C-alpha cells in the first residue's frame, strides 16, 4: 500500500489526544476585580473600609472630633445597613442571628464613646461577607447550568404527503412521525420506522460507543444521531420521555435531600439570643442587687456584649472553608458552597461512574486479530486508511492507534459511509470495508497491555478486503491514566471499598474495575437504579460521594450526600445537579478535594477552640474584675484576626498537594 502525502497524515486540530472533539469549553470566569465590582456586598464593604481609613487618618491628624466621628458613623451605615436589615427581617420571622448582634455590639460601642472599636467591628464583619460573596459568585460564573440536552424543535412529517414541518418538541404527540437528520439530537422517545444509523447514547445510558439503530429499534430523546437519516415514530409524549423522567427524579431528590448546615449556622441563633439575654442580666443584676451605678453597669454590659459576640466563632468557620474553596478552584475544582466544602470531608464511601469518569468516554485499540491473509499491521493500516475521513469515534481511534504505532496510513479514495454499519473506501485499488463484527475469527492476535485473548470486552470491528474478511480490531473505552491512583487514594481516605456504578454491560464494567482495583461493581443500571444503589448505601449509614458526568448520573448525584460532576464533557444536567465540578476532568482531584476538606474541618475545630478560649477568658475577666473596653475590643478583634489568618493558611498550594 502506498504512503499518502504528508498533509493527509496531519492530525485534526479540533480533536484531543483521545480522538474526541474539544468537548465542553467552560468560559474563563471573570477576574476577581470584575466579580467584586458587580457585587453589592463588595462595594459596600469597600466603602466601609475606605470610610474607616478616612476616620482613622482624621483622628491621627488631630482633626476635630466631629470630623472623625462623621467618617466612622458613615462607615457604620455603609458596612452595617445590609446585615442590620437582614437581622431585622430575621426578627420578623422570630429568629435572632449573628448579623444583628454584630451591629448592636458596634452601636453599643459607639454609644459609650468607642466609635473606633465599633467601626473596626463593622469593617471586619462586612469584609468577611464580601469574601464569601465573591467566592460564591466566582463558582456560579464558572459552572454551566443550562438544561438544554433535549432539543426544543423537531421536524414532523405529515402523514399524507410527507411534507416537513418544524414544531416544538412539546407539541409532538404519540404516533407522530419525526425526521432526524445526521448529527441532530432526537427529540422524542420512539421507534425507528425507516433508516439506519448509529446513535450516541452515552450521556443518557452511559454506553461508551454509539449503538446501531434500524427499523423497529428504540431511540431516546436527547441522544445524538450519527451519519444516517432516521424516521422515528413517537411513542411517548415529551413529559413522559426518558429525559423528562430523569429531570423529575433530580427535582424530587433535590427537594427531599436534607439541607446540611454548617456548625455555626446550627448554633448562632441560640448563641446570639443567649448573649443578648446575658447582657441584659449583666446590666440589671448589679444595679438591683449591688446598687451599682447605671453608667458603670452599662459599661460592663456593653463590654460583655463585645467580648461575648461570636465574631471569632463566625470567622473560625468561614475563612478556612472559603480558603479551601479558592484553593480547590485554582486546581480546577469548583465547589458550589461552603456547606458543600465542609460536607465533602465527612465522606465515608466514594462511588464512581464508568464512562466519561473513570474512562475518557472514547475508545482505544486493544487487540488486532488477523484471519491469516494479512499481517496485523496490514489489517490496522487498511482499516485506518478507510476510516481517515470518518467522524465516528471508533474510526478515529483506529487512525490514532495506527499513527501511534509508527505505521503510515495509505491514501483512500471513494470514501462512503454505511450508516449504522461502518465505512467503505478504495485503498491501493482494493475495496476495504470496516464494519461491526458479530464475532472474532480465530487466528494470530495482538493484545495491548499484555492481555490475553478470550475476553469479549469492548467493540469488535471486522476488516474486509475485496469482500474477504482479513481480520478484526477490538476497541475498549480508554481508561484515564490517573484512575487507578484516584481509586486507591479514595479507598485509603474512607477505609471503605470504592463502588462502580455504570449503565454499561457486566463485561465492560468488570474490565474497568479490574484495571482500577474496584471490587464493588454495579452494572446495567438505569438512572433510577443508580439512585436506588446510592439510597441503599446511605440507608446503611454511609455518606456517599458520587462522581459522574451524564444525564443518567444526575438523579444519583442529587441523592448522594455529595455529588461531583466531570466538567469537560459532562452534561449540563449533571453540572447543574452536582455540588462540585471537576472542570479539567482530572479524576485524581476527587481524593485531593476530600483530603483538603478534612484539613479545613480540622482547622475549623482548632479555630473554634481558639475563639472559645478568648471568649471565656475575656468574659470571666469582665464579670470578676474590671476589663477596660479598649482591651476588650483588642482581645476580641485579636482573636478574630488569629482565627482568620489560621484559616487563610489553606490558600497555600501545599494544602492541596499534601
Amino acid at each position: 500500500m502506498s504512503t499518502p502525502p504528508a498533509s493527509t497524515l496531519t492530525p485534526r486540530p479540533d480533536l484531543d489526544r483521545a480522538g474526541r472533539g474539544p468537548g465542553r469549553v467552560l468560559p474563563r470566569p471573570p477576574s476577581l476585580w470584575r466579580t467584586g465590582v458587580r457585587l453589592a456586598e463588595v462595594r459596600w464593604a469597600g466603602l466601609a473600609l475606605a470610610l474607616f481609613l478616612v476616620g482613622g487618618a482624621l483622628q491621627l491628624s488631630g482633626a476635630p472630633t466631629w470630623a472623625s466621628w462623621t467618617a466612622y458613623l458613615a462607615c457604620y451605615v455603609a458596612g452595617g445597613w445590609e446585615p442590620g436589615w437582614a437581622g431585622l427581617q430575621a426578627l420578623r420571622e422570630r429568629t435572632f442571628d449573628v448579623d444583628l448582634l454584630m451591629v448592636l455590639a458596634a452601636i453599643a460601642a459607639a454609644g459609650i464613646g468607642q466609635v473606633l472599636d465599633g467601626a473596626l467591628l463593622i469593617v471586619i464583619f462586612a469584609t468577611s461577607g464580601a469574601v464569601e460573596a465573591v467566592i460564591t459568585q466566582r463558582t456560579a460564573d464558572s459552572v454551566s447550568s443550562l438544561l438544554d440536552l433535549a432539543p426544543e424543535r423537531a421536524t414532523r412529517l405529515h402523514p399524507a404527503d410527507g411534507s416537513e414541518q418544524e414544531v416544538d418538541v412539546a407539541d409532538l404527540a404519540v404516533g407522530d412521525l419525526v425526521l432526524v437528520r445526521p448529527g441532530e439530537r432526537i427529540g422524542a422517545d420512539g421507534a425507528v420506522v425507516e433508516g439506519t444509523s448509529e446513535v450516541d447514547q452515552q450521556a443518557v445510558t452511559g454506553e461508551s460507543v454509539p449503538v446501531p439503530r434500524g427499523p423497529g429499534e428504540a431511540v431516546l430523546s436527547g441522544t445524538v444521531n450519527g451519519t444516517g437519516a432516521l424516521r422515528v415514530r413517537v411513542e411517548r409524549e415529551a413529559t413522559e420521555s426518558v429525559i423528562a423522567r430523569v429531570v423529575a427524579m433530580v427535582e424530587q431528590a433535590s427537594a427531599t435531600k436534607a439541607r446540611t448546615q454548617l456548625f455555626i449556622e446550627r448554633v448562632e441563633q441560640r448563641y446570639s439570643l443567649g448573649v443578648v439575654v446575658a447582657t441584659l442580666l449583666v446590666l440589671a443584676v448589679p444595679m438591683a442587687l449591688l446598687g451599682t451605678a447605671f453608667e458603670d453597669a452599662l459599661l460592663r454590659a456593653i463590654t460583655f456584649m463585645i467580648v461575648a459576640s461570636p465574631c471569632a466563632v463566625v470567622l473560625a468557620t468561614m475563612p478556612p472553608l472559603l480558603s479551601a474553596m479558592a484553593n480547590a478552584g485554582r486546581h480546577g475544582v469548583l465547589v458550589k458552597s461552603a456547606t458543600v466544602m465542609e460536607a465533602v470531608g465527612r465522606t465515608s464511601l466514594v462511588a464512581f461512574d464508568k464512562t466519561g469518569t473513570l474512562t475518557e468516554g472514547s475508545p482505544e485499540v486493544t487487540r488486532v486479530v488477523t484471519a491469516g491473509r494479512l499481517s496485523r499491521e496490514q489489517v490496522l493500516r487498511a482499516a485506518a486508511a478507510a476510516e481517515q475521513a470518518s467522524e465516528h469515534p471508533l474510526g478515529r481511534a483506529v487512525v490514532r492507534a495506527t499513527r501511534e504505532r509508527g505505521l503510515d496510513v495509505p491514501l483512500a479514495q471513494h470514501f462512503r459511509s454505511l450508516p449504522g454499519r461502518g465505512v467503505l473506501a478504495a485503498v491501493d485499488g482494493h475495496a476495504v470495508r470496516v464494519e461491526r463484527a458479530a464475532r472474532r475469527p480465530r487466528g494470530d492476535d495482538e493484545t495491548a497491555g499484555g492481555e490475553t485473548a478470550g475476553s469479549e470486552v469492548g467493540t469488535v470491528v471486522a476488516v474486509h478486503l475485496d469482500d474477504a474478511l482479513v481480520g478484526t480490531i477490538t476497541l475498549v473505552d480508554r481508561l484515564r491514566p490517573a484512575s487507578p491512583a484516584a481509586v486507591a487514594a479514595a479507598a485509603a481516605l474512607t477505609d471503605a471499598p470504592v463502588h462502580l456504578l455504570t449503565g454499561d454491560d457486566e463485561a465492560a464494567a468488570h474490565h474497568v474495575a479490574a484495571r482500577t482495583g474496584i471490587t464493588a461493581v454495579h452494572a446495567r443500571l438505569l438512572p433510577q437504579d443508580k439512585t436506588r444503589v446510592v439510597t441503599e448505601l446511605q440507608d446503611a449509614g454511609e455518606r456517599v460521594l458520587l462522581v459522574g458526568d451524564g444525564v443518567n448520573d444526575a438523579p444519583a448525584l442529587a441523592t448522594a450526600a455529595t455529588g461531583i460532576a466531570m466538567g469537560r464533557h459532562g452534561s449540563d444536567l449533571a453540572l447543574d445537579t452536582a455540588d462540585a465540578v471537576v472542570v479539567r476532568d482530572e479524576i485524581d482531584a476527587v481524593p485531593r478535594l476530600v483530603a483538603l476538606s478534612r484539613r479545613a474541618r480540622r482547622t475549623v475545630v482548632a479555630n473554634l477552640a481558639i475563639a472559645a478560649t478568648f471568649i471565656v477568658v475575656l468574659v470571666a475577666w469582665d464579670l470578676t474584675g474590671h476589663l477596660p473596653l479598649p482591651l476588650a475590643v483588642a482581645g476580641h478583634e485579636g482573636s478574630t484576626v488569629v482565627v482568620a489568618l489560621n484559616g487563610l493558611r489553606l490558600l497555600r498550594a501545599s494544602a492541596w498537594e499534601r
Side-chain angles (χ1 to χ4, degrees), residues 463-480:
V463 183
H464 296 81
L465 188 68
D466 296 329
D467 291 330
L469 179 65
V470 294
T472 60
I473 301 172
T474 302
L475 301 99
V476 174
D477 194 4
R478 179 190 291 260
L479 188 72
R480 294 188 190 277

Side-chain angles (χ1 to χ4, degrees), residues 48-49 52 72 75-76 106 114-127 311 633-634 636-638 640-641:
L49 176 60
F52 176 80
Y72 286 140
C75 170
Y76 274 59
Q114 303 293 334
V115 66
L116 170 64
D117 302 321
L120 179 61
L121 196 64
I122 288 290
V123 168
I124 291 176
F125 199 67
T127 302
C311 278
V633 173
H636 179 264
E637 302 306 333
T640 300
V641 171

Side-chain angles (χ1 to χ4, degrees), residues 337-355:
S337 71
T339 304
V340 172
M341 192 72 234
E342 186 215 26
V344 169
R346 291 186 279 123
T347 297
S348 64
L349 185 149
V350 178
F352 291 96
D353 171 50
K354 182 184 77 68
T355 305

Side-chain angles (χ1 to χ4, degrees), residues 365-556:
V365 174
T366 59
R367 181 179 297 116
V368 179
V369 180
T370 175
R373 180 177 172 184
L374 300 179
S375 66
R376 294 189 299 271
E377 291 76 12
Q378 289 175 317
V379 170
L380 195 58
R381 290 173 68 241
E387 294 280 11
Q388 277 188 95
S390 174
E391 292 294 317
H392 198 285
L394 295 178
R396 294 199 298 263
V398 169
V399 174
R400 182 181 63 249
T402 305
R403 290 171 176 163
E404 287 175 350
R405 301 179 191 207
L407 302 175
D408 63 294
V409 181
L411 182 64
Q413 297 177 330
H414 309 302
F415 172 84
R416 184 159 59 94
S417 175
L418 306 174
R421 294 170 52 198
V423 298
L424 177 65
V427 181
D428 286 346
H430 298 279
V432 176
R433 187 173 79 254
V434 184
E435 60 185 3
R436 287 177 182 261
R439 60 182 180 275
R440 178 186 300 113
R442 297 182 180 275
D444 184 26
D445 67 348
E446 171 197 9
T447 304
E451 297 175 7
T452 59
S455 172
E456 291 296 329
V457 173
T459 302
V460 181
V461 295
V463 183
H464 296 81
L465 188 68
D466 296 329
D467 291 330
L469 179 65
V470 294
T472 60
I473 301 172
T474 302
L475 301 99
V476 174
D477 194 4
R478 179 190 291 260
L479 188 72
R480 294 188 190 277
S483 290
V487 169
L493 280 171
T494 60
D495 294 326
V498 174
H499 287 240
L500 177 64
L501 280 60
T502 178
D504 221 333
D505 58 49
E506 294 278 355
H510 284 281
H511 178 71
V512 169
R515 297 171 68 187
T516 55
I518 296 178
T519 55
V521 180
H522 310 267
R524 294 190 180 278
L525 299 181
L526 296 173
Q528 60 267 30
D529 299 323
K530 290 189 176 184
T531 304
R532 173 183 52 77
V533 172
V534 170
T535 301
E536 290 174 352
L537 291 172
Q538 296 193 145
D539 288 345
E542 303 287 357
R543 291 190 58 83
V544 177
L545 184 153
L546 175 66
V547 189
D549 75 316
V551 172
N552 58 329
D553 300 316

